[in-house]
Amino acid sequence: MKNVWTEVTIGGQKMPIVQLSNNGRLCLASDMNMQSCSMRVKQSVSRIPVQIKLYEGETVESLQSVKDVNIELVRESSFFSVLGRLVGGNGLMNIKVDVFYNKADNNGVCIGFVSQYFQSNKYIVALGNITNDSEIKQHSSDSFVGQTLNPDKQSESYISAKDCFLENVEKFCEVIPLTSIQKDNKIIAEWEKIIVSLPQSSSLYTDFQSYKQNLSAWLLHLKSWGLKQDSCKEYPGSLIDSERYFTKDGVIDPNKQYVVLSPCWTLWKNCDGKNEELIVSVGLIQEK
């Protein structure tokens, strides 16, 4: 068997080539257990592309490409990532991505990616026959990468679009406020990726297709399901609920006036027979 090698590129930055196997045996020496790279990206970036190239060859000089795999590192859905995307704009931030190589089951190698602001992701390379698509499998605990929706092949029982949305509303906590200010193809793609990552989502996906060219109408449609956007434009500091709004510096002065940069979104939902207003996305305010 030829030796197997890999070259990882993260956000356009190439890592040194790593040998994964030598005559069929895994190469997990201490000098290849981890790699890392640092880069500056825009605050508004929600995904970083990762390319994994697989080669066969006796030496680095004689490598032949056998497989290209493309995955992504997806931005964490948090209040602070929303803040960065809302007000950071083209501002830059420093990120570091660590790449781990570990032994996996069935004579494979797990290539893992970890970063502070992005969800972890990994790819498992089975070394038995790397030219076979089935031998290279992607694993991502929280993010959706490269999946396509086929409603006819979903094994789960059918649920309505509304129920699918309500049961998974926390998955949309970042994209909802962004949709109100940024209605373009990137936001459409983000909605689709989130929806198809959910179980039993064929009805919600079909529903979204009817509205994706008019995202304002889509938000109105979601409001008919109980989603609510706070309509207040200003608040005195003394009346601001810190669970619903935050500032860039984390401080709210009760003696000052604040303007709403991004409104809070909530959802009226029946919980154990009682209607409750749940916070979907915390809003952003700024001192007037």
Side-chain angles (χ1 to χ4, degrees), residues 4 39 57 61 107 126 225 231 264:
V4 179
M39 63 187 72
E61 291 75 21
N107 193 38
W225 292 347
S231 59
C264 171

Side-chain angles (χ1 to χ4, degrees), residues 230-250:
D230 184 14
S231 59
C232 291
K233 304 299 183 183
E234 291 189 21
Y235 280 104
S238 59
L239 297 182
I240 294 174
D241 184 346
S242 60
E243 292 186 356
R244 295 172 181 257
Y245 283 97
F246 69 108
T247 60
K248 290 174 65 175
D249 59 8

